[in-house]
Amino acid sequence: MHISPAVAGTDRSVSAAFVDSVLPDLLAHYRLQRATVLEQAGIDGAVFNDPGRLLPLLDVMRLFLVILEACGDPGLGFETGRRVRPRSYQVLGYVILASRDLDEAIERLMRFEKLSGNLGRTERHDEGDQVRLCWRCPVAGEPGRMLTEAAITGWVTFMRPLMPPGAAPAEVCFRHPPPADAARYRDWFQAPVRFNADFDGVRLPAALLRHSLESADPGLGRMMEKEAGALLADFDAHGNLLSRVRSAIYRRLGSGDPSVDAVAAELGLTVRTLQSRLQRQGLAYQEVLDGLRRSLAELYLRDPALNLTEIALLLGFAESSSFSRAFRRWRGESPVSWRRRLPRPDPSG
């Protein structure tokens, strides 16, 4: 799976709560050790201590790249979605659970989905006796396929216990080509699964949307909706700061000027305000800069067309020796030795 470094230039993110909720079962399924996977991905497990934290998409994709290289399962996104639980979505999940029916649940999903991460976008289209629910993924290629399968499978996993016994989508659709083991998908969804479709999402019988949810709780729903609204307002005003800072740094790395002064000015903040807001998240600016450089370095080192000098310049270092010293500090070995241990690239990826 090839991850474009340009992902670092976006403010896309995924909630730490979502990743942390699916990770234990997923790693157990593939017989992988959590500490080893996190270390290989360069992720500090402490980030999961704050469920409300948003993880930059680049870091999440690198984590799943490590898992994919270890398990070799092209259905990793599908298997991730199967392990979604209500707590995966935190407040969003509980406000959906308290909804009157599936119709209200979908409306709340669309209104508050940013709370589970600033990633894709859900759209609803009413088509006579069916409703088409689409998910717009902002990432292309194999990473987009994985994210899309995780999102759509997660929808069905989350809602299945709330629907009448035997109820299922009228159709599950993916725009990408079918995998070799498409039967695995049909067996689990218990519904027709169409690949090479013209949209990513599900078709639902319109009548199903009027079915009362067993977990419906109007009082709790109003309370959770109020909390979700407050969180969404805070997100729009101040949230996703880490991803926005990293995005600004990424755009300045090539010019060699990722200074805190330049980034603060681009974000319309004073240096003191930026540092204060980062500090409230337990971060320092240099830590954010080093983290982004490390993530990008490991992506660039996977590209055999780039030599160390070119990588150093892409990361905003004046010379390759500065990059090598930094990489030794991050990984405890030289970038050359780290690169030698990489799996051979998959020509199809």
Side-chain angles (χ1 to χ4, degrees), residues 194-345:
R194 183 158 59 93
F195 294 92
N196 291 319
D198 56 356
F199 76 101
D200 292 308
V202 297
R203 279 195 169 91
L204 301 167
L208 185 60
L209 272 63
R210 296 189 291 273
H211 174 75
S212 298
L213 300 186
E214 292 183 6
S215 57
D217 187 327
L220 179 62
R222 286 191 294 272
M223 183 177 71
M224 296 303 297
E225 192 169 24
K226 184 176 180 180
E227 181 176 352
L231 289 172
L232 185 61
D234 183 69
F235 179 95
D236 289 335
H238 309 293
N240 221 19
L241 176 66
L242 175 58
S243 288
R244 289 191 290 118
V245 170
R246 285 170 55 124
S247 176
I249 291 173
Y250 174 77
R251 290 191 293 272
R252 292 183 167 275
L253 283 176
S255 65
D257 183 29
S259 67
V260 64
D261 302 75
V263 168
E266 180 174 333
L267 297 179
L269 303 171
T270 65
V271 171
R272 173 179 286 187
T273 298
L274 174 59
Q275 291 176 326
S276 174
R277 290 184 181 178
L278 286 173
Q279 189 174 28
R280 286 201 293 269
Q281 296 189 23
L283 298 167
Y285 178 79
Q286 189 61 45
E287 181 184 354
V288 177
L289 173 59
D290 285 345
L292 178 60
R293 277 176 160 164
R294 172 177 173 167
S295 295
L296 288 170
E298 296 180 8
L299 291 186
Y300 289 137
L301 286 168
R302 293 173 180 274
D303 186 348
L306 294 174
N307 60 43
L308 292 191
T309 299
E310 291 169 325
I311 293 174
L313 293 175
L314 286 169
L315 295 174
F317 290 103
E319 53 190 21
S320 60
S321 59
S322 300
F323 164 53
S324 294
R325 285 194 299 272
F327 195 88
R328 282 185 178 277
R329 191 170 66 249
W330 300 330
R331 278 299 194 180
E333 62 180 317
S334 73
V336 173
S337 62
W338 191 88
R339 180 178 240 176
R340 287 194 187 116
R341 294 190 293 99
L342 288 173
R344 292 181 179 273

Side-chain angles (χ1 to χ4, degrees), residues 17-292:
F18 179 89
V19 177
D20 193 42
S21 71
V22 300
L23 209 51
D25 285 351
L26 193 66
L27 295 179
H29 175 70
Y30 292 121
R31 299 182 181 179
L32 301 175
Q33 296 299 314
R34 181 187 179 99
T36 301
V37 168
L38 292 180
E39 192 280 328
Q40 290 176 352
I43 292 179
D44 184 348
V47 300
F48 299 114
N49 294 339
D50 177 9
R53 184 164 181 170
L54 292 171
L55 306 180
L57 179 59
L58 178 64
D59 291 352
V60 176
M61 294 305 300
R62 287 180 56 251
L63 170 63
F64 280 89
L65 176 60
V66 169
I67 298 174
L68 180 62
E69 289 179 342
C71 71
D73 181 7
L76 175 59
F78 167 72
E79 292 295 341
T80 300
R82 288 181 55 186
R83 286 157 176 82
V84 161
R85 301 293 181 268
R87 66 185 180 89
S88 302
Y89 300 116
Q90 294 289 291
V91 172
L92 173 62
Y94 295 116
V95 76
I96 290 174
L97 283 175
S99 298
R100 174 187 65 251
D101 51 27
L102 197 54
D103 190 55
E104 185 175 62
I106 291 172
E107 185 273 328
R108 286 173 168 174
L109 165 68
M110 295 172 62
R111 184 153 41 114
F112 299 121
E113 67 182 332
K114 196 183 291 185
L115 296 180
S116 65
N118 184 22
L119 192 53
R121 186 179 78 256
T122 303
E123 297 176 355
R124 172 178 170 167
H125 303 273
D126 292 280
E127 302 173 336
D129 62 352
Q130 289 190 339
V131 171
R132 179 162 55 97
L133 208 59
C134 309
W135 195 66
R136 303 288 185 183
C137 182
V139 180
E142 194 62 23
R145 173 184 182 134
M146 190 192 75
L147 290 171
T148 298
E149 289 196 358
I152 293 170
T153 307
W155 283 353
V156 179
T157 302
F158 184 91
M159 297 307 299
R160 179 174 280 168
L162 309 178
M163 296 190 294
E171 187 177 42
V172 179
C173 297
F174 297 108
R175 290 187 300 159
H176 50 259
D181 57 348
R184 168 170 53 158
Y185 293 71
R186 291 191 297 270
D187 291 345
W188 189 83
F189 282 113
Q190 299 175 4
V193 181
R194 183 158 59 93
F195 294 92
N196 291 319
D198 56 356
F199 76 101
D200 292 308
V202 297
R203 279 195 169 91
L204 301 167
L208 185 60
L209 272 63
R210 296 189 291 273
H211 174 75
S212 298
L213 300 186
E214 292 183 6
S215 57
D217 187 327
L220 179 62
R222 286 191 294 272
M223 183 177 71
M224 296 303 297
E225 192 169 24
K226 184 176 180 180
E227 181 176 352
L231 289 172
L232 185 61
D234 183 69
F235 179 95
D236 289 335
H238 309 293
N240 221 19
L241 176 66
L242 175 58
S243 288
R244 289 191 290 118
V245 170
R246 285 170 55 124
S247 176
I249 291 173
Y250 174 77
R251 290 191 293 272
R252 292 183 167 275
L253 283 176
S255 65
D257 183 29
S259 67
V260 64
D261 302 75
V263 168
E266 180 174 333
L267 297 179
L269 303 171
T270 65
V271 171
R272 173 179 286 187
T273 298
L274 174 59
Q275 291 176 326
S276 174
R277 290 184 181 178
L278 286 173
Q279 189 174 28
R280 286 201 293 269
Q281 296 189 23
L283 298 167
Y285 178 79
Q286 189 61 45
E287 181 184 354
V288 177
L289 173 59
D290 285 345
L292 178 60

